[in-house]
Amino acid sequence: MKKMLAILLCATMAFSLAACGSSSSSTLTETTEEAAEEETEEAEETEEAATETTETYTVGICQLVQHDALDAATQGFKDALTEAFGDAVTFDEQNAQGDSNTCSTIINSFVSADVDLILANATAALQAAQAGTDTIPVLGTSITDYATALELDSFDGTVGGNISGTSDLAPLAEQAAMLAELFPDAETVGLLYCSAEANSQYQVDNVQAELESLGYTCTQYSFSDSNDIAAVAQSAADASDVIYVPTDNTAAANTEIIDNICRPAGVPVIAGEEGICEGCGVATLSISYYDIGYISGEMAAQILTGEADISTMPIEYAPNVTKEYNAEICEDLGITVPDDYVAIATEE
């Protein structure tokens, strides 16, 4: 009897252990299967995401000519878009080397390539873009006055259609006041600019009115292109106590010529922007071209993502202006500027 009871007890225990083992094995199998299913689902989701096309953008940049101001605006624009999209944005950057006809050729190539957006850097580039497309979004930068540049009959701050952008307009009345502050005893002011640039004409007309109200006698000296800038600058230097040069792209690309004429003659130049002042001026009330380029880039990002409608975007302006002076030329001409002027940082 005792033997039989022992045998039965052993058999019961063996059966229980087998049952437990079977249960553990079943649970483990179920857990493994669930984990495998989850991994499969995650892999499918990852594969699906990878096969989705990432949105990419091609942006055409037409810059009229190479000089510090326009270069800075282009760089600011590219930096803003790169920060927004990283490698998803590609730039087709082209320079017209100062030729308005080349601007048209560049813009037409952008239209043929069906780029997503165009940056027109300077007035001639914007005018070419206006003529070249009414569908691709166009942002201008380094444009002084959009109404003048685009020959608009009325302008309320928004161009409309497919065009918007940023302006490089500094306060012209304050620039005239700067000239009066530095040269109160001067009598004659020569206004030196390129007649082919509509926005330069706009600036000198307004500055002349301001200066004449302050008692100065003003004469406009216009050159048609870089070929006659030396002769015209010489005439201006011969007849003027002070010369004013607006934010003029042809002048900006030829500051060495102006400086080689005006500085030896002892005639100071008040410049419309920092780059011209660095090359041939004594002082300027200037904006940051990098800043307006960057603002244009921020506008472009909103347009490309659909967050903003370009037709309703108002023209944006530089947030700040700065009184700056060229220490080297001021020293050569014996000019001392007030303490609120900042020296332009020159490259060594």
Side-chain angles (χ1 to χ4, degrees):
M1 179 65 77
K2 290 181 180 179
K3 288 182 179 180
M4 290 181 64
L5 288 173
I7 292 170
L8 288 172
L9 181 60
C10 288
T12 302
M13 292 176 65
F15 179 77
S16 297
L17 289 171
C20 288
S22 175
S23 176
S24 298
S25 175
S26 175
T27 301
L28 179 61
T29 301
E30 290 176 1
T31 302
T32 303
E33 288 177 353
E34 289 176 0
E37 289 177 1
E38 289 178 0
E39 288 179 0
T40 301
E41 290 177 0
E42 290 177 0
E44 289 175 352
E45 290 175 0
T46 301
E47 183 177 356
E48 183 179 350
T51 57
E52 291 180 1
T53 304
T54 301
E55 191 74 29
T56 59
Y57 307 99
T58 300
V59 175
I61 299 175
C62 178
Q63 181 173 318
L64 173 62
V65 66
Q66 184 175 6
H67 63 70
D68 290 346
L70 299 190
D71 291 349
T74 292
Q75 190 60 54
F77 176 79
K78 292 167 62 178
D79 286 351
L81 276 179
T82 301
E83 287 179 21
F85 300 119
D87 294 336
V89 61
T90 301
F91 301 104
D92 184 354
E93 184 177 350
Q94 299 191 40
N95 194 298
Q97 303 301 324
D99 188 342
S100 58
N101 291 326
T102 303
C103 285
S104 297
T105 301
I106 293 171
I107 294 297
N108 290 336
S109 72
F110 291 160
V111 174
S112 297
D114 194 26
V115 298
D116 297 298
L117 184 141
I118 294 172
L119 176 73
N121 192 349
T123 298
L126 181 64
Q127 291 169 335
Q130 179 193 37
T133 179
D134 59 3
T135 56
I136 297 174
V138 175
L139 288 173
T141 193
S142 312
I143 312 297
T144 303
D145 181 67
Y146 279 76
T148 301
L150 301 178
E151 298 182 348
L152 304 177
D153 293 331
S154 61
F155 179 65
D156 61 359
T158 302
V159 175
N162 66 320
I163 296 175
S164 188
T166 54
S167 170
D168 64 358
L169 181 63
L172 298 177
E174 293 180 33
Q175 289 187 347
M178 169 181 281
L179 187 150
E181 176 183 43
L182 295 177
F183 307 106
D185 297 328
E187 296 179 355
T188 57
V189 177
L191 304 159
L192 181 65
Y193 69 101
C194 180
S195 58
E197 298 189 32
N199 278 311
S200 295
Q201 185 71 65
Y202 171 85
Q203 291 174 82
V204 297
D205 286 345
N206 280 272
V207 170
Q208 178 172 347
E210 294 290 340
L211 289 172
E212 288 177 345
S213 72
L214 296 171
Y216 293 94
T217 299
C218 299
T219 303
Q220 295 188 10
Y221 296 88
S222 64
F223 50 88
S224 58
D225 55 37
S226 59
N227 294 320
D228 61 343
I229 190 171
V232 175
Q234 187 65 63
S235 297
D238 290 341
S240 308
D241 296 324
V242 183
I243 288 176
Y244 171 79
V245 179
T247 55
D248 183 287
N249 291 298
T250 308
N254 293 275
T255 56
E256 185 176 358
I257 293 175
I258 298 172
D259 186 48
N260 287 340
I261 292 169
C262 293
R263 200 187 323 190
V267 179
V269 174
I270 295 294
E273 57 92 7
E274 181 184 86
I276 296 175
C277 188
E278 183 177 355
C280 65
V282 296
T284 181
L285 182 68
S286 183
I287 67 165
S288 166
Y289 276 78
Y290 180 88
D291 286 351
I292 62 170
Y294 194 92
I295 293 170
S296 297
E298 292 178 322
M299 295 170 72
Q302 294 177 330
I303 294 165
L304 292 172
T305 58
E307 296 177 42
D309 179 358
I310 191 172
S311 67
T312 63
M313 299 180 81
I315 301 303
E316 299 283 347
Y317 295 82
N320 302 299
V321 292
T322 306
K323 286 183 174 182
E324 298 178 308
Y325 73 100
N326 185 318
E328 179 185 335
I329 297 180
C330 282
E331 182 178 357
D332 286 349
L333 298 182
I335 297 169
T336 301
V337 300
D339 292 339
D340 59 341
Y341 284 66
V342 178
I344 295 173
T346 56
E347 296 180 1
E348 295 297 336

